[in-house]
Amino acid sequence: MLGATSLKIFSGTSHPEIAHLIAKRIGLTVSKSEITQNHSGETSLRILESVREADVYIVNSGCASADGTISVNTSLMELCIMIHACKIASAKRITAVIPLFPYARQDRKDKSRAPISAKLVANMIQSSGADHIILYAEPSMLWYIRENFNVKNVVIVSPDAGGAKRATSMADRLNVDFALFHKERKKANEVSRMILVGNVKDKIAVLVDDMADTCGTLALAAQHLVEAGATQIIAIVTHGILSGNALEVVEKSPLEKLVVTNTIPQDLNLKRCKKLDVIDVAPVLGEVVRRSHYGESVSKLFTEVPY
């Protein structure tokens, strides 16, 4: 059992459930804080216990809260303000645990005069006083595939060329084949044509991606995989944003199952979609926190899930 005097876990309001699961994993409770919004929309925060010389971990996902009262921008400000509050309260080390990194999709300059918002967010977190950031979910996805499918019959499929590195990494660790789709777009978010590169005939095709938003690409890819002879089609996605009519698209698609992690609250979506399944990443994040606190190696967790 870890002592609560040296390690403290705080939670923002975007996804407190995962903070409690992480704390429970390492035998702690979430430390006390008070977060409110005043009438002008500003975030007000108080740390309600001493953090002097403590190893502090602040958990806040870059997403809106399940009830819609907290926006992505608000959750980001909560994180930065909480980091700053702990810093000036003499915390020895501060680590931001961010299951979903806010503005992660805006990570490159894709057009003239466009911002690189993900870099700006990283600079904000660093300037607030964070010493480290923890975000990683791939081991949980690998565990899910091993536990639920005959790996010898699996082929990992990337729905676009941009995700090829992620998909090949998973395929290498599972020692299975890999395929990808080349997409041609008419305009942003509208795919006109997809070309499959690789063989999926008589295989369990596992589509892997970092985010599922409208799910249009996944549904279209699933249809092409059916035509290419795949026997089963499953999509495993790290972050299930699932906006608009995404769940309806999934229900009508050839996808047997859409698997997402709990980096974003999914309780309401689970009630609305029978094909949806959720992987709990709290065991991995909790073990990373424990190992980081005690100075143990974290690299082992890149391939193993501590269940």
Side-chain angles (χ1 to χ4, degrees), residues 65-86:
S65 60
D67 59 7
T69 58
I70 302 298
S71 69
V72 174
N73 292 337
T74 300
S75 68
L76 173 58
M77 285 307 301
E78 282 181 5
L79 177 65
C80 291
I81 293 170
M82 190 172 282
I83 291 169
H84 176 67
C86 291

Side-chain angles (χ1 to χ4, degrees), residues 55-176:
D55 189 11
V56 174
Y57 293 81
I58 299 172
V59 184
N60 212 27
S61 203
C63 62
S65 60
D67 59 7
T69 58
I70 302 298
S71 69
V72 174
N73 292 337
T74 300
S75 68
L76 173 58
M77 285 307 301
E78 282 181 5
L79 177 65
C80 291
I81 293 170
M82 190 172 282
I83 291 169
H84 176 67
C86 291
K87 188 74 173 178
I88 63 176
S90 301
K92 185 175 183 179
R93 185 176 67 167
I94 302 168
T95 302
V97 182
I98 313 174
L100 169 58
F101 193 85
Y103 292 86
R105 286 185 286 185
Q106 299 182 39
D107 62 344
R108 60 178 64 88
K109 190 179 176 109
D110 57 352
K111 61 186 76 171
S112 178
R113 295 177 296 280
I116 307 175
S117 302
K119 181 179 180 181
L120 172 63
V121 169
N123 290 339
M124 288 171 61
I125 294 169
Q126 183 180 36
S127 298
S128 299
D131 299 296
H132 303 282
I133 292 177
I134 294 173
L135 54 144
Y136 197 62
E138 186 175 300
S140 300
M141 299 164 75
L142 293 170
W143 170 85
Y144 185 93
I145 294 171
R146 290 191 181 107
E147 287 293 310
N148 290 276
F149 307 107
N150 182 353
V151 176
K152 293 180 180 179
N153 294 330
V154 166
V155 56
I156 301 296
V157 184
S158 173
D160 55 44
K165 185 175 180 180
R166 180 188 316 106
T168 53
S169 171
M170 293 182 68
D172 288 344
R173 288 174 180 173
L174 293 168
N175 194 28
V176 299

Side-chain angles (χ1 to χ4, degrees), residues 110-111 183-194 214 216-217 220:
D110 57 352
K111 61 186 76 171
K183 292 192 296 189
E184 295 179 359
R185 295 183 183 271
K186 290 180 180 178
K187 56 184 179 181
N189 293 328
E190 186 177 326
V191 178
S192 62
R193 201 173 122 186
M194 297 182 76
T214 61
T217 297
L220 187 57

